[in-house]
Amino acid sequence: GDDAGVDISDEGMVITSKDEDGTYSWQAGDKAKLPDGFPADVHIYEGAAMAMSSDSPEGFTLALTTDDPFSKVVATYEEKMVSAGWTEQTSTTMSGTQMLIYTKGDRGANIGFFDQEGITQISLTVSK
Protein backbone atom coordinates (compact mmCIF):
# COMPACT_ATOMS: atom_id res chain seq x y z
CA GLY A 1 0.00 0.00 0.00
CA ASP A 2 0.91 3.64 -0.23
CA ASP A 3 0.76 4.13 3.54
CA ALA A 4 1.64 1.17 5.79
CA GLY A 5 2.38 0.60 9.46
CA VAL A 6 3.51 -2.37 11.53
CA ASP A 7 3.21 -2.72 15.31
CA ILE A 8 4.89 -5.83 16.75
CA SER A 9 5.02 -6.58 20.49
CA ASP A 10 4.82 -9.48 22.91
CA GLU A 11 1.02 -9.17 22.72
CA GLY A 12 0.84 -9.70 18.97
CA MET A 13 1.04 -7.86 15.68
CA VAL A 14 -1.00 -5.23 13.86
CA ILE A 15 -0.38 -4.36 10.21
CA THR A 16 -2.28 -1.59 8.44
CA SER A 17 -1.96 -0.22 4.93
CA LYS A 18 -3.87 2.14 2.72
CA ASP A 19 -4.04 2.49 -1.05
CA GLU A 20 -6.44 3.86 -3.67
CA ASP A 21 -8.88 0.97 -2.99
CA GLY A 22 -9.12 1.56 0.76
CA THR A 23 -7.66 0.52 4.10
CA TYR A 24 -6.40 -2.96 4.94
CA SER A 25 -5.68 -4.25 8.45
CA TRP A 26 -4.43 -7.53 9.88
CA GLN A 27 -4.18 -8.34 13.60
CA ALA A 28 -2.87 -11.43 15.38
CA GLY A 29 -2.21 -12.58 18.93
CA ASP A 30 -3.68 -10.73 21.90
CA LYS A 31 -4.06 -7.64 19.69
CA ALA A 32 -6.57 -9.38 17.43
CA LYS A 33 -10.03 -7.87 17.83
CA LEU A 34 -13.26 -7.77 15.91
CA PRO A 35 -12.80 -5.26 13.08
CA ASP A 36 -14.88 -2.10 13.10
CA GLY A 37 -17.90 -2.54 10.88
CA PHE A 38 -18.01 -6.33 11.16
CA PRO A 39 -21.60 -7.27 10.26
CA ALA A 40 -23.86 -7.83 13.27
CA ASP A 41 -25.80 -10.55 11.39
CA VAL A 42 -22.75 -12.86 11.25
CA HIS A 43 -22.43 -15.10 14.29
CA ILE A 44 -19.28 -14.91 16.42
CA TYR A 45 -19.05 -18.06 18.51
CA GLU A 46 -19.58 -17.19 22.18
CA GLY A 47 -16.47 -17.69 24.30
CA ALA A 48 -14.18 -18.33 21.33
CA ALA A 49 -10.69 -16.82 21.40
CA MET A 50 -9.77 -14.65 18.44
CA ALA A 51 -6.40 -15.63 17.00
CA MET A 52 -6.47 -13.39 13.92
CA SER A 53 -8.65 -10.80 12.23
CA SER A 54 -8.41 -8.84 9.01
CA ASP A 55 -10.40 -6.14 7.28
CA SER A 56 -10.13 -5.03 3.67
CA PRO A 57 -12.33 -3.26 1.13
CA GLU A 58 -13.50 -6.74 -0.01
CA GLY A 59 -14.47 -8.10 3.41
CA PHE A 60 -13.47 -9.56 6.74
CA THR A 61 -11.62 -12.69 7.89
CA LEU A 62 -11.50 -14.09 11.42
CA ALA A 63 -9.70 -17.09 12.94
CA LEU A 64 -11.24 -18.28 16.22
CA THR A 65 -10.65 -21.23 18.56
CA THR A 66 -12.79 -22.88 21.22
CA ASP A 67 -12.63 -25.92 23.47
CA ASP A 68 -16.27 -26.70 22.66
CA PRO A 69 -16.90 -29.90 20.69
CA PHE A 70 -16.67 -29.67 16.91
CA SER A 71 -20.25 -30.91 16.38
CA LYS A 72 -21.68 -28.33 18.83
CA VAL A 73 -19.83 -25.46 17.14
CA VAL A 74 -20.99 -26.49 13.65
CA ALA A 75 -24.60 -26.97 14.81
CA THR A 76 -24.57 -23.55 16.49
CA TYR A 77 -23.41 -21.83 13.29
CA GLU A 78 -25.98 -23.70 11.19
CA GLU A 79 -28.75 -22.48 13.49
CA LYS A 80 -27.50 -18.92 14.10
CA MET A 81 -26.70 -18.07 10.47
CA VAL A 82 -30.08 -19.25 9.17
CA SER A 83 -31.95 -17.48 11.99
CA ALA A 84 -30.10 -14.26 11.01
CA GLY A 85 -31.48 -14.54 7.46
CA TRP A 86 -28.53 -16.21 5.73
CA THR A 87 -29.23 -18.96 3.17
CA GLU A 88 -27.02 -22.06 3.23
CA GLN A 89 -25.62 -22.76 -0.24
CA THR A 90 -23.20 -25.59 0.49
CA SER A 91 -22.15 -27.86 3.33
CA THR A 92 -19.14 -30.11 2.82
CA THR A 93 -17.73 -32.53 5.40
CA MET A 94 -14.43 -34.41 5.26
CA SER A 95 -12.66 -36.12 8.16
CA GLY A 96 -12.25 -33.54 10.90
CA THR A 97 -13.31 -30.57 8.74
CA GLN A 98 -16.52 -28.97 7.59
CA MET A 99 -17.23 -26.01 5.31
CA LEU A 100 -20.46 -24.01 5.28
CA ILE A 101 -21.19 -21.40 2.61
CA TYR A 102 -23.99 -18.87 3.04
CA THR A 103 -25.40 -15.95 1.08
CA LYS A 104 -27.52 -12.99 2.10
CA GLY A 105 -28.31 -10.41 -0.55
CA ASP A 106 -25.07 -9.64 -2.36
CA ARG A 107 -22.87 -10.85 0.52
CA GLY A 108 -21.32 -14.23 1.16
CA ALA A 109 -20.01 -15.99 4.25
CA ASN A 110 -17.63 -18.96 4.17
CA ILE A 111 -17.13 -20.75 7.47
CA GLY A 112 -14.58 -23.52 7.93
CA PHE A 113 -14.38 -25.76 10.99
CA PHE A 114 -11.33 -27.85 11.86
CA ASP A 115 -11.02 -30.36 14.70
CA GLN A 116 -7.46 -30.20 16.02
CA GLU A 117 -7.08 -32.68 18.88
CA GLY A 118 -10.08 -31.41 20.85
CA ILE A 119 -9.72 -27.73 19.87
CA THR A 120 -12.25 -26.49 17.31
CA GLN A 121 -10.79 -23.92 14.94
CA ILE A 122 -13.18 -21.61 13.09
CA SER A 123 -12.20 -19.76 9.92
CA LEU A 124 -14.77 -17.11 8.97
CA THR A 125 -14.67 -14.99 5.80
CA VAL A 126 -17.43 -12.49 4.98
CA SER A 127 -17.63 -10.40 1.81
CA LYS A 128 -18.78 -6.79 2.05
Side-chain angles (χ1 to χ4, degrees), residues 26-103:
W26 184 86
Q27 305 167 22
D30 290 342
K31 291 190 174 193
K33 63 179 181 65
L34 192 65
D36 292 339
F38 190 86
D41 62 350
V42 175
H43 182 66
I44 303 299
Y45 194 79
E46 187 175 337
M50 189 165 310
M52 185 278 300
S53 67
S54 70
D55 180 10
S56 73
E58 294 81 28
F60 303 95
T61 300
L62 304 178
L64 309 165
T65 61
T66 180
D67 293 339
D68 286 355
F70 179 87
S71 59
K72 177 183 177 186
V73 176
V74 173
T76 299
Y77 268 92
E78 289 172 329
E79 188 267 321
K80 296 287 188 180
M81 293 297 286
V82 170
S83 69
W86 290 83
T87 302
E88 184 179 301
Q89 299 298 315
T90 305
S91 176
T92 304
T93 304
M94 292 186 288
S95 63
T97 66
Q98 185 159 350
M99 291 292 295
L100 300 174
I101 299 174
Y102 293 92
T103 57

